[in-house]
Structures are given as C-alpha cells and as structure tokens.
C-alpha cells in the first residue's frame, strides 16, 4: 500500500484530506506543521511517496518544509502538493520554484483534490 | 419524443412536467427523462426567484401564455448549460499532447495550419485548454483556428470573456498553467489575451446544418450527445463527420460512442483514451 502524509495545523482539514487519500488506497499519516512532518518523514524511512501540505503553520511553514525536503536528494521523487489559502500568483510561483509539484487553493472540494492527483498520475 | 413516466413531483404537476419535457426537446433537442424533476428544480429555481413565481407550474403557465423571447431563452439555457472544467478527461489531453498533435504537426509542416472545433464549448474551458496546450507545444507561430460554439448565448459570452472563478481554475488546471496564462483580478482569474485571441466563440445549435463549418483536424463534442435521442445523435454525428478532414479525429465523452450510430468512424485507442477517426 502506498503511503501519503497530510501536513496541516487544522485537524479538520487533516481529517478531510486523509479520508480522501484513504479512499484512493493510501495509508495516511499526519503532521501539524513542517517540523513535525520532517520528523515523521525520517521515522517512516522514505516510504512516503505523496505529501499534501498547507502553507501557513506554526514552527515551520509549508514552503520551508518543501525547501527542506527538496534539499535532500533522497526525497526528489516525492510528490508534493500544496493545499493553502495563499492565492497570489507570486506565492504559487514561489511554491513551484521551491519544488512543489502542484498547488490547490482553499477552499477545495474532494473532486478538485482527486482531479489534481489524477493529473499528477498518482491515482487512477 | 418520450413523454413517459411523467412524475407527480413536488413543485411540478405531471402536465407541467410534460410541457417542459416537450418544450426543452423542441427548443434544444435535449431529452429530459421522466425522473429529472430534481434537475428542473435545481436549474429553474433561480428563474422562479428572479420572476417572483411561486412554482414551476407558474413558470410553465407563463411560458405558455407569453411570447417573451428572453424568458424562453433563459429557460432553455438553464436546462442546457453543463458543467465543464479545464483538462476534463485528462487522458484525452495526454494522448493529444504525446501522440495525436505530434502526428498532425508532422502532417501539416508545410502549411503550418491546424483547425479545431469545440462543438459544445460551455464556458470555454475545453477550447482554452487546447489553446494552452498548443502554446506549450511551441505552436504559437502556426495559423491556429479554434472555434468554440454553444447553444447558450450566455455561455458564449462568458467563454469570450475568459474570466473564471477561483473554484473553476482550481479544478483540473495545472498550477504551472495558471501562473503562466492567467492574471488574478480581485477574486477572479482572467485568461491572458495571448490565449483568448486564439479562440473564436459563436452561438450555435448542434441540430442545425454544419455545412459551412470546417474542415477541422479535430472536433471535440464531449458529454453532449448523451442528452439527445438516437435519431438526433445519428444526425449530429453525420454532420460532424462532414466537418472533419479525411483522417481527422472526433473526440467524445468517456461514456459516449459512435457505435451503432455512425459506424464509419474508426475507433482508435491511445492508452485509455478513445478517438474516432473520420474515413
């Protein structure tokens, strides 16, 4: 079973996204900020192949997390999708340049997430 | 047209339901089965509110009594405008990018001309998806003709404007395309002129003659035929075939087929995506 991680400081958002990913057959783990997500990543020993990550979180934000993860060549194939309230073009460009593969603006629907995942080729 | 199973629905009596079935069929060719009262309520309630009418029965009475063209058009458009989104049925666009368009580019290298038709263009996402794809493939310098048509004049106007809500650009459109081809205007997203000017939109009823159109390399007629009866489907497919170059492709929705309707088309699979090749 493929493993995914949802990183968001909102428990409700984590629940919604985890449920969607589970419906696509993913085993899902969660983290409440970027720092915690990096710890989970180390613990899971490179088994996570997909991460949905918020931008604005305490301790370490999503953009920093993306940069940190991409700085490690072991994680170059991990699919990173930002799911955030940031809707400025400049922010999107920053996220994509930092190494995010895709970007979803909140509010989102299950269909929006599913279509993006299909587009990324990670679900049927 | 089928008038069976007219329901005793809340908000609409069987006579009014039959009237609307007949009316929508006559004006658009679209068949409303006997179990679509939820659709009528969802689509027509805004008109009831706007006109301060108490029920769908009142709307039917008004339609029968009035010669008011804007109301008639408003009802037909409400019933015939359908959801769409950028890169809908992504496998077809993948096949276009990786196989079909490269073949066409090779074929038309001498003239550098390509022609496309989005035959039920709705709010424009399909035609603009194609336009962006062509730009990404480096065809900005080619003579590209993309026609978008829809029965709804309101949809045509929206498509021409190229302005979309956040929820519309959030679905299906890769973020890289969004930042490259759109500008944020308040809460909306405006498609850049570079893309907008590649597509020409017109109002058109698919039941009318298509003899003046084309020839096209590819015609998109996706998720439309499902709303027509068999005779209308056959007639539309015959007309569509006449607009295609020999060897041109027709693209249908994932649940649609030419089988038993227009068998002269050759079904070609590109991965999971079906394309229908004109003889």
């Amino acid at each position: 079973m493929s493993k995914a991680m949802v990183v968001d400081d909102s428990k409700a958002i984590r629940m919604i996204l985890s449920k969607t990913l589970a419906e696509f057959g993913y085993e899902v783990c969660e983290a409440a900020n970027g720092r915690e997500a990096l710890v989970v990543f180390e613990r899971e020993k490179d088994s996570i192949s997909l991460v949905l990550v918020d931008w604005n979180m305490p301790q370490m934000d999503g953009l920093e997390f993306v940069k940190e993860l991409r700085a490690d060549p072991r994680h170059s194939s991990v699919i990173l999708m930002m799911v955030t309230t940031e809707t400025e073009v400049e922010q999107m460009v920053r996220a994509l340049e930092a190494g995010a593969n895709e970007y979803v603006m909140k509010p989102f629907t299950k269909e929006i997430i599913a279509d993006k995942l299909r587009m990324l080729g990670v679900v049927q | 047209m089928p008038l069976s199973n007219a329901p005793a629905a809340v908000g609409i009596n069987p006579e009014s339901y039959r009237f609307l079935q007949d009316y929508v069929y006559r004006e658009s060719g679209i068949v409303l089965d006997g179990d679509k009262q939820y659709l009528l309520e969802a689509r027509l309630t805004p008109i009831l509110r706007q006109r301060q009418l108490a029920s769908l029965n009142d709307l039917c009475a008004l339609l029968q009594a009035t010669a008011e063209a804007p109301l008639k058009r408003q009802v037909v458009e409400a019933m015939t405008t359908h959801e769409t989104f950028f890169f809908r049925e992504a496998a077809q666009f993948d096949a276009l990018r990786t196989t079909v368009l490269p073949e066409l580019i090779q074929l038309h290298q001498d003239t550098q001309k390509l022609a496309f038709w989005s035959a039920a263009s709705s709010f424009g996402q399909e035609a603009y998806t194609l336009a962006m794809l062509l730009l990404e493939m480096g065809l900005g310098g080619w003579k590209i003709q993309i026609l978008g048509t829809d029965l709804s004049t309101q949809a045509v106007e929206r498509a021409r404007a190229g302005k979309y809500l956040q929820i519309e650009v959030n679905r299906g459109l890769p973020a890289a395309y969004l930042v490259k081809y759109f500008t944020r205007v308040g809460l909306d997203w405006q498609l850049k002129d570079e893309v907008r000017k590649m597509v020409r939109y017109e109002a058109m009823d698919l039941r009318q003659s298509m003899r003046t159109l084309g020839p096209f390399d590819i015609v998109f007629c996706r998720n439309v035929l499902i709303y027509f009866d068999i005779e209308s489907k056959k007639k539309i497919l015959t007309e569509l075939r006449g607009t295609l170059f020999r060897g041109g492709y027709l693209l249908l929705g994932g649940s649609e087929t030419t089988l038993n309707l227009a068998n002269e088309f050759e079904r070609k699979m590109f991965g999971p995506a079906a394309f229908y090749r004109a003889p």
Side-chain angles (χ1 to χ4, degrees):
Chain A
M1 185 183 278
S2 302
K3 203 174 273 187
M5 178 158 62
V6 174
V7 191
D8 200 302
D9 55 340
S10 158
K11 191 177 176 185
I13 299 285
R14 289 203 303 274
M15 273 176 60
I16 292 166
L17 291 174
S18 294
K19 189 165 176 280
T20 302
L21 291 173
E23 284 171 16
F24 282 113
Y26 278 95
E27 182 186 338
V28 187
C29 52
E30 298 181 3
N33 60 66
R35 182 75 57 210
E36 202 178 302
L38 287 174
V39 172
V40 174
F41 232 91
E42 281 305 311
R43 190 187 68 210
E44 295 293 329
K45 299 270 183 248
D46 306 334
S47 63
I48 295 169
S49 60
L50 169 68
V51 182
L52 273 50
V53 55
D54 185 20
W55 188 307
N56 297 303
M57 296 177 290
Q59 295 187 48
M60 181 188 281
D61 67 29
L63 187 66
E64 267 316 298
F65 168 77
V66 170
K67 286 178 182 171
E68 288 265 344
L69 206 71
R70 286 295 187 231
D72 186 338
R74 286 179 304 155
H75 305 317
S76 60
S77 63
V78 175
I79 301 286
L80 295 172
M81 185 159 90
M82 295 211 76
V83 184
T84 169
T85 51
E86 296 293 336
T87 57
E88 295 298 327
V89 171
E90 294 72 22
Q91 306 289 68
M92 287 181 208
V93 172
R94 284 178 69 198
L96 295 174
E97 284 178 351
N101 299 87
E102 255 309 325
Y103 197 101
V104 171
M105 293 175 276
K106 291 177 183 172
F108 57 83
T109 63
K110 188 177 156 185
E111 287 74 26
I112 286 171
I113 298 294
D115 281 333
K116 290 275 185 178
L117 295 177
R118 280 190 204 102
M119 200 167 70
L120 290 165
V122 295
V123 302
Q124 290 288 312
Chain B
M1 81 151 284
L3 294 174
S4 60
N5 305 323
V10 177
I12 185 165
N13 63 40
E15 291 72 32
S16 293
Y17 194 91
R18 273 193 288 270
F19 168 77
L20 277 175
Q21 273 183 313
D22 189 40
Y23 183 76
V24 171
Y25 181 76
R26 197 171 60 241
E27 296 295 321
S28 69
I30 286 172
V31 177
L32 281 174
D33 293 329
D35 58 352
K36 292 285 191 289
Q37 55 269 41
Y38 71 90
L39 189 66
L40 287 173
E41 285 174 18
R43 296 291 181 86
L44 300 180
T45 298
I47 300 176
L48 299 185
R49 283 206 198 99
Q50 188 193 350
R51 302 263 172 174
Q52 296 182 318
L53 298 168
S55 71
L56 290 171
N57 298 326
D58 290 351
L59 177 63
C60 291
L62 185 60
L63 279 170
Q64 286 170 294
T66 185
E68 192 196 333
L71 174 65
K72 294 183 169 183
R73 177 139 284 276
Q74 201 179 3
V75 169
V76 172
E77 294 197 352
M79 293 308 304
T80 56
T81 305
H82 300 290
E83 179 202 49
T84 186
F85 49 93
F86 292 101
F87 286 90
R88 185 175 186 182
E89 301 196 31
Q92 291 182 334
F93 284 103
D94 280 347
L96 280 172
R97 184 175 52 80
T98 58
T99 312
V100 178
L101 287 171
E103 276 177 18
L104 285 174
I105 290 166
Q106 192 72 26
L107 192 68
H108 294 294
Q109 202 57 247
D110 52 345
T111 60
Q112 303 214 330
K113 281 186 191 172
L114 286 170
F116 306 90
W117 179 22
S118 170
S121 51
S122 188
F123 299 145
Q125 288 97 325
E126 180 177 78
Y128 287 139
T129 296
L130 175 67
M132 289 185 282
L133 198 62
L134 294 170
L135 288 175
E136 286 296 302
M137 294 181 74
L139 298 180
W142 280 43
K143 295 177 197 76
I144 303 288
Q145 181 204 341
I146 306 175
L147 173 66
T149 63
D150 200 278
L151 179 68
S152 162
T153 50
Q154 275 182 329
V156 164
E157 280 166 24
R158 263 208 70 192
R160 281 182 187 144
K163 198 175 193 179
Y164 296 94
L165 304 171
Q166 181 172 301
I167 195 163
E168 292 172 316
V169 296
N170 221 6
R171 187 162 183 200
L173 184 68
Y177 281 65
L178 182 62
V179 299
K180 189 170 179 181
Y181 295 115
F182 289 78
T183 311
R184 200 167 154 198
V185 182
L187 294 174
D188 297 331
W189 292 82
Q190 177 65 58
L191 193 65
K192 290 183 180 171
D193 284 348
E194 175 192 11
V195 183
R196 270 179 65 204
K197 72 181 184 192
M198 290 175 70
V199 187
R200 179 171 61 87
Y201 288 101
E202 302 292 340
M204 182 186 157
D205 186 336
L206 285 176
R207 294 173 303 163
Q208 74 189 57
S209 169
M210 302 173 189
R211 279 183 199 157
T212 56
L213 298 177
F216 299 104
D217 294 285
I218 300 176
V219 171
F220 296 72
C221 188
R222 306 188 306 163
N223 307 298
V224 186
L225 292 178
I226 43 172
Y227 298 106
F228 291 95
D229 61 18
I230 288 175
E231 285 314 307
S232 300
K233 284 178 189 174
K234 285 181 178 172
K235 187 171 175 294
I236 290 169
L237 284 168
T238 302
E239 290 278 334
L240 289 175
R241 185 197 148 188
T243 70
L244 281 162
F245 276 118
R246 285 188 67 178
Y249 287 107
L250 171 66
L251 270 171
L252 299 176
S255 62
E256 297 167 323
T257 178
T258 59
L259 193 66
N260 297 329
L261 297 168
N263 289 332
E264 62 272 32
F265 282 99
E266 177 197 359
R267 189 169 190 251
K268 289 195 75 173
M269 296 302 295
F270 298 99
F275 283 58
Y276 296 87
R277 197 159 193 257

